[in-house]
Amino acid sequence: MCRSRVILVLQLLAATAMFAVDRFVKIWAAANKDDAPLPLIPGLVSTVYAENTGAAFSFFEDGRIFFLIVTAAAMCAIVWALVARWPRHQLGAWAMALILSGAMGNFIDRLLQGYVVDMFRFDFIKFAIFNVADIFITIGGILFCIYLLFMHEKNKKRGKGRL
């Protein structure tokens, strides 16, 4: 198997493993919702239990069908881009794997329950409650922006090959 296919398999396995971590934490949060809030890092982060029917910051509440369609399309596009080796640098590909894992986690919640389970809250600032999938999506999004800004066009102009 060529190197790029091995890396693709590793990225998809990593996305699956990150999805599993997200599922485990959500199941734990639901099982312990009566004990919340629990301080993880006192004064900084606590666990609480919340059911979010919207997107980030509860925007577009009750948009389940819309989010399922958009998320399914995004997941298909990410898998296609990874298989086609569209990202010309590993940072772009791994960023997409992070985004894929988070999208899968929130997609399954919406599909099975009609809402996304959120459980982390910053104690020092008024901010949205979020989950592990949101962390993966945010980190992946930041890394993907860095890739697009600093690496994608540079590699394209130099004519570098794919992964």
Side-chain angles (χ1 to χ4, degrees):
M1 188 182 287
C2 68
R3 180 177 183 265
S4 62
R5 293 292 175 205
V6 170
I7 292 171
L8 171 64
V9 169
L10 288 175
Q11 290 160 342
L12 294 175
L13 286 174
T16 303
M18 290 182 279
F19 164 76
V21 169
D22 176 64
R23 292 299 310 147
F24 174 79
V25 173
K26 288 175 178 175
I27 290 167
W28 175 86
N32 293 286
K33 65 183 171 186
D34 295 333
D35 298 332
L38 296 171
L40 283 179
I41 304 172
L44 293 177
V45 179
S46 296
T47 62
V48 296
Y49 178 83
E51 296 173 356
N52 184 357
T53 60
F57 304 102
S58 295
F59 288 136
F60 306 112
E61 285 192 54
D62 300 318
R64 179 180 183 210
I65 301 300
F66 171 76
F67 290 122
L68 287 172
I69 292 168
V70 169
T71 305
M75 290 187 304
C76 289
I78 289 170
V79 170
W80 174 85
L82 288 172
V83 170
R85 295 179 291 171
W86 176 80
R88 297 176 184 270
H89 188 276
Q90 286 298 318
L91 181 65
W94 284 103
M96 292 179 99
L98 279 163
I99 295 167
L100 177 63
S101 69
M104 289 187 310
N106 287 342
F107 178 83
I108 290 298
D109 272 8
R110 282 194 182 93
L111 183 67
L112 299 178
Q113 302 165 164
Y115 56 85
V116 172
V117 173
D118 289 330
M119 76 288 299
F120 298 116
R121 177 186 68 197
F122 289 124
D123 295 331
F124 63 94
I125 188 173
K126 179 86 171 142
F127 191 73
I129 300 171
F130 55 97
N131 60 43
V132 174
D134 298 335
I135 294 168
F136 292 148
I137 292 168
T138 301
I139 293 170
I142 291 167
L143 293 175
F144 194 71
C145 287
I146 291 168
Y147 162 73
L148 287 176
L149 289 171
F150 300 108
M151 297 170 181
H152 180 68
E153 286 300 317
K154 183 187 288 186
N155 286 339
K156 189 176 178 181
K157 288 177 185 170
R158 286 186 185 164
K160 288 190 177 179
R162 303 200 189 259
L163 301 179

